[in-house]
């Protein structure tokens, strides 16, 4: 291999390595865990640990009343397990505020 070809080969290898290493160096920024407003509660995500599969609040709240009932929670094993603890006023309905309070208490 001639010296001139070797330099070209090294340049191509270096360029390919630099290009392939960029995704490895990229870091994904964490999304801020801001609590959703009451009006936007239907868009709030139920954490995967509680819902079992990262379902949104709206997909769990099948009757769209803004709260999750015990029967709606039964469709999601993780949420059903913590429902009684998270329902702070024990009215059989889990509101977004009650759920946020429960999650905050569990993170302490």
């Amino acid at each position: 291999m001639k010296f001139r070809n070797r330099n070209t080969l090294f340049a191509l290898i270096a360029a390919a390595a630099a290009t392939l290493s960029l995704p490895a160096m990229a870091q994904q920024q964490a999304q801020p865990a801001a609590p959703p407003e009451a009006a936007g509660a239907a868009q709030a995500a139920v954490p995967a640990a509680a819902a079992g599969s990262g379902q949104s609040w709206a997909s769990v709240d099948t009757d769209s009343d803004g709260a999750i009932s015990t029967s709606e929670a039964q469709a999601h094993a993780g949420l059903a397990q913590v429902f009684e603890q998270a329902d702070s006023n024990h009215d059989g309905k889990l509101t977004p505020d009650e759920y946020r309070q429960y999650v905050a208490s569990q993170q302490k």
Side-chain angles (χ1 to χ4, degrees), residues 35-81:
E37 297 299 321
Q43 302 301 322
V46 176
S53 62
Q55 299 290 320
S56 69
W57 190 269
S59 68
V60 177
D61 181 21
T62 57
D63 63 2
S64 301
D65 66 349
I68 297 175
S69 66
T70 53
S71 62
E72 290 169 332
Q74 295 305 314
H76 303 280
L79 185 57
Q81 290 176 348

Side-chain angles (χ1 to χ4, degrees), residues 82-98:
V82 299
F83 188 87
E84 294 298 322
Q85 298 167 347
D87 184 18
S88 60
N89 63 358
H90 304 291
D91 64 349
K93 295 273 188 180
L94 183 62
T95 64
D97 289 331
E98 288 175 326

